[in-house]
């Protein structure tokens, strides 16, 4: 032996099984990091693609900009993209949907791809040309063809939807193209159409022509600082900044949530990052524990050999080096192989899985575009592959340190004498043994508690990762906030005679309906003296304000106040003992701000002779309570229970019902119920969100499919780790097995003992791993809600992980036992490796 490096190589060659098992663990752990990194790139790209379809390829939109402000934005070096469009006006399609026409001066196919998916014809290129979605033409009752004329009556208001003044006009347009229906617009109540350049100039007065500017910044980290500076330097009103929250969340860009009235929060990205790091560490720990367990067993077997080395002059540092060198040699082989297999596996799995489905559900136009998107984000990146190799190497060396310390600290005398194992007997009560094999298996588990704990812990890590990853896919859904904002599967509206309480009761009692959110709503306009005459109020309105009362039933109010109103305050509002007030928005004329009403929590408000305590106040217009998607109207809005509403106004009819269907309900059957209601109650219209739900589900299906490919791949690696660990435990006990057979144990009884051991490993690991997985699920849920709280127990993932763990342990037990049982008793007793 020339040196310890040569000795380390000879040790690896002499201990073939142990070396192969460690090599396999290194390869698998490297594959895990490589696959996760490559798949994470694709999943991130898909989530961003989903966000672009939902909200546009922009970070923020600055509305109502003049030409001077637009020029300043275009010349700002901090902005990577500046595009503008002019809003021509809008027209009401029905009580729930409004058509808005825009004249785009930017590449609409890049910024708003969902608006520009042509079904026939082309996008508008000349003044008075128009392109509309297919469903809009159906609402308009248009039966013509491309090139025909469409007459539309439009209206354009000036500021923020606050109706200070508006311009109404009628114009004839030439239909240039028809785009695909985008049912996601139904959630917001506004469908977008396009007109050709020059149309706004031809139809609108000069003072009604202003620009909406879409922006992206070069530096994502300084995004909010850049926007704050632009708002300040260009004197932009804070209500003229519309953040594309969905896209910002997908990109992980932090933004000022105080400036954006939305249920989504930029602060949640830290939870997403924490959840991702947590899952990655669990994966590496699972692989590291396998390496540690195998090395610890291998060192224990060769403790006499290490004692001899110490006796002839070997130092502790040399023994450290001997163990570490073996790991380094195996890493030198396993890491490159793992990186190669991981890169190929990630790209191959993703391409194969996505090729089975239509490209449309991946929000791209064709298969070539889909494959390009995958290739761009799953190609091997040198920096990431280097990081993956370093991480795997560090974890492998860290896993080898305890085994090296164990080999180095042993006394040469004790090691050579073979007295390294102490058996302690404890007084035990006599109990009836119902199954000797199960009893003997339990004794074996207790015999080496450290090895048992490490084996179970390695299984626990795999189970925890399997459960946590399934919850982690929910974080990738960029549309989750949109789904959460809708109260029901249908919107049924009647703004004239309304729906009686009996109608609401009948709807609620329908077996296909889970719940029905309902609202009563009244708006009172002031007279020339800014006074309300239809209802008695104890205050005066300021210029430009209206007075509104909204009566919400229990399901509606529960969803509306979820997360920001305490249970006690909620009960008071439902009992009619308090109210919620939304303050009006301040109106500015130039630099002068007009006085406006302002109520504060703790004050009282007088309505119809009743003094109501104000339990909470709201500002801004996001989350505004109104009928369907009727939009925001400035004024004082008082939100009360539906029963108190009737007492204050004398009106008992509801104006809108939002039924949420029960699981498994037949939509076609329920559509007939609503159609019958429309015939019974004149003036009733409804909107079904079935197509909206379908598009939202498909927009997430792309991500969920890819994520499940990653989950199953990681699960497979976890199963291989389980087989690796259990196989090592059994293989190191070949001599013991030979001795048991020599004293009369049958092959069948031997099999049962080890099968019971495998079952116990899987069962104990499943219990601990399920608890740990549930804790991880809580943190994953916190990444979505930004609140750490108990969530529903993931029963199905836990059951799947338990079955797979126990099954893998039994399989890992059978494989080596089958070969060992065929060995002769003498060969088993004398077996070294």
């Amino acid at each position: 032996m020339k040196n310890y490096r040569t000795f380390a190589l000879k040790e690896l060659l002499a201990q073939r099984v142990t070396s192969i098992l460690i090599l396999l663990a290194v390869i698998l752990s490297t594959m895990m990091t490589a696959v996760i990194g490559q798949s994470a790139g694709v999943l991130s790209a898909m989530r961003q693609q989903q966000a672009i379809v939902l909200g546009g390829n922009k970070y923020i939109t600055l509305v109502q900009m003049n030409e001077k402000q637009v020029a300043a934005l275009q010349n700002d070096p901090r902005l990577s993209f500046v595009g503008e469009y002019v809003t021509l006006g809008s027209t009401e399609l029905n009580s729930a949907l409004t058509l808005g026409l825009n004249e785009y001066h930017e590449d609409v196919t890049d910024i708003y791809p969902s608006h520009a998916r042509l079904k026939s014809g082309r996008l508008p290129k000349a003044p008075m040309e128009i392109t509309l979605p297919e469903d809009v033409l159906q609402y308009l009752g248009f039966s013509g063809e491309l090139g025909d004329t469409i007459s539309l009556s439009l209206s354009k208001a000036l500021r923020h939807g606050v109706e200070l003044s508006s311009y109404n006009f009628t114009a004839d347009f030439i239909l240039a193209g028809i785009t695909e229906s985008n049912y996601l617009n139904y959630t917001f109540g506004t469908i977008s159409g396009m007109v050709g350049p020059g149309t706004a100039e031809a139809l609108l007065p000069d003072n009604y022509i202003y620009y909406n500017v879409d922006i992206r910044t070069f530096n994502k980290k300084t995004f909010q600082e850049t926007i704050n500076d632009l708002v300040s330097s260009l004197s932009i009103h804070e209500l003229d900044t519309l953040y594309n929250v969905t896209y910002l969340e997908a990109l992980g860009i932090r933004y000022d949530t105080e400036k954006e009235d939305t249920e989504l929060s930029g602060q949640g990205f830290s939870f997403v990052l924490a959840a991702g790091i947590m899952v990655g560490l669990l994966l590496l720990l699972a692989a590291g524990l396998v390496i540690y367990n195998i090395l610890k067993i291998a060192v224990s077997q060769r403790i006499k050999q290490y004692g001899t080395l110490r006796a002839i002059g070997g130092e502790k540092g040399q023994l450290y080096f001997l163990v570490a060198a073996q790991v380094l040699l195996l890493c030198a082989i396993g890491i490159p192989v793992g990186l190669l297999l991981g890169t190929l596996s990630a790209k191959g799995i993703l391409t194969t899985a996505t090729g089975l489905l239509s490209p449309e559900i991946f929000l791209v136009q064709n298969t070539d575009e889909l494959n390009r998107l995958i290739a761009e984000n799953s190609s091997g990146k040198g920096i990431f592959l280097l990081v993956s190799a370093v991480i795997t190497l560090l974890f492998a060396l860290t896993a080898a340190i305890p085994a090296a310390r164990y080999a180095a600290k042993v006394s040469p005398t004790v090691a050579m004498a073979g007295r390294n194992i102490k058996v302690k007997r404890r007084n035990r009560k006599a109990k009836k043994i119902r199954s000797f094999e199960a009893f003997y298996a339990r004794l074996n588990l207790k015999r080496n508690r450290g090895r048992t704990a490490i084996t179970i812990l390695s299984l626990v890590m795999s189970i925890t990762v399997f459960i946590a990853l399934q919850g982690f896919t929910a974080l990738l859904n960029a549309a989750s906030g949109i789904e959460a904002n809708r109260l029901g599967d249908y919107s049924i509206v009647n703004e004239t005679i309304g729906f009686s309480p009996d109608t609401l009761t009948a709807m609620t009692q329908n077996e296909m309906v889970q719940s029905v959110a309902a609202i009563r709503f009244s708006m009172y306009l002031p007279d020339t003296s800014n006074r309300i005459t239809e209802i008695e109020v104890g205050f005066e309105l300021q210029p430009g304000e209206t007075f509104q009362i909204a009566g919400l039933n229990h399901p509606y109010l529960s969803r509306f106040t979820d997360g920001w109103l305490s249970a006690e305050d909620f009960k008071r509002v439902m009992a009619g003992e308090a109210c919620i007030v939304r303050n009006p928005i301040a109106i500015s004329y130039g630099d002068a701000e007009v006085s406006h009403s302002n109520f504060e929590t703790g004050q009282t408000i007088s309505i119809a002779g009743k003094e109501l305590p104000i339990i909470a106040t709201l500002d801004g217009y996001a989350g505004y309570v109104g009928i369907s998607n009727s939009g925001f109207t400035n004024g004082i809005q008082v939100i009360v229970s539906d029963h108190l509403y009737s007492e204050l106004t004398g009106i008992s009819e509801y104006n809108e019902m939002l039924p949420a269907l029960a699981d498994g309900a037949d939509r076609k059957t329920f559509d007939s119920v609503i159609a019958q209601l429309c015939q019974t109650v004149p003036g009733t219209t409804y909107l079904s969100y079935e197509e909206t739900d379908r598009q939202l589900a498909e927009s997430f299906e792309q991500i969920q499919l890819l994520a499940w490919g990653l989950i199953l791949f990681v699960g497979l690696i976890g199963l291989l780790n389980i087989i690796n660990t259990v196989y090592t435990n059994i293989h190191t006990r070949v001599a013991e097995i030979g001795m048991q057979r020599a004293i009369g144990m049958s092959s069948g009884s031997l099999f049962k003992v080890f099968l019971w051991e495998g079952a116990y490993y899987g069962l104990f690991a499943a219990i601990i791993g399920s608890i740990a997985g549930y804790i991880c699920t809580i943190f994953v849920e916190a990444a979505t809600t930004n609140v750490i709280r108990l969530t529903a127990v993931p029963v199905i993932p836990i059951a799947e992980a338990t079955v797979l763990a126990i099954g893998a342990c039994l399989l890992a037990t059978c494989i080596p036992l089958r070969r060992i049982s065929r060995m002769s008793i003498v060969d088993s007793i004398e077996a070294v490796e």
Side-chain angles (χ1 to χ4, degrees), residues 444-459:
N444 284 338
L445 295 181
K446 296 177 182 179
R447 183 178 58 180
N448 194 324
R449 298 176 186 271
R451 180 186 299 180
T452 300
I454 293 299
T455 302
I456 293 177
L457 190 57
S458 64
L459 305 183

Side-chain angles (χ1 to χ4, degrees), residues 1-16:
M1 182 182 70
K2 296 180 180 180
N3 51 48
Y4 274 82
R5 290 187 295 273
T6 304
F7 186 40
L9 180 60
K10 289 183 177 180
E11 284 280 279
L12 292 179
L13 297 176
Q15 303 154 23
R16 292 184 299 277

Side-chain angles (χ1 to χ4, degrees), residues 10 59 66 112 220 410 412 460 539 551 601 654 671 688 709 732 735 764 776:
K10 289 183 177 180
Y59 297 166
N66 55 42
Y112 298 98
K220 297 182 177 65
V410 67
V460 166
F539 52 87
T601 303
Y654 293 91
D671 286 343
S688 171
T732 56
F764 294 151
C776 292

Side-chain angles (χ1 to χ4, degrees), residues 124 159 279 282-283 286 299 341 361 383 416 436 456 525 556 586 596 613 617 650 735 746 797 806:
R159 281 196 65 86
V279 171
L282 287 173
L283 287 170
V299 170
L341 293 177
I361 72 167
I383 296 179
M416 295 176 67
F436 173 77
I456 293 177
L525 302 177
Y556 200 126
H596 64 284
T617 56
S746 66
I806 296 176

Side-chain angles (χ1 to χ4, degrees), residues 496-501 519-521 645-646 650-655:
T496 53
I497 62 176
F499 306 106
S500 67
I519 178 175
R520 293 165 170 162
F521 186 85
Y645 172 93
S646 298
I651 301 173
S652 60
E653 286 74 23
Y654 293 91
N655 300 107

Side-chain angles (χ1 to χ4, degrees), residues 39 104 232 251 265 270 441 483 548 555 560 647 715 735 747:
S39 300
Y104 290 98
S232 175
L251 291 172
S265 171
S270 59
E483 297 178 70
Q548 308 160 28
F560 178 73
E647 181 182 337
S747 297

Side-chain angles (χ1 to χ4, degrees), residues 478-489:
S480 58
I482 296 175
E483 297 178 70
N485 288 335
R486 207 178 64 237
L487 291 174
D489 297 310

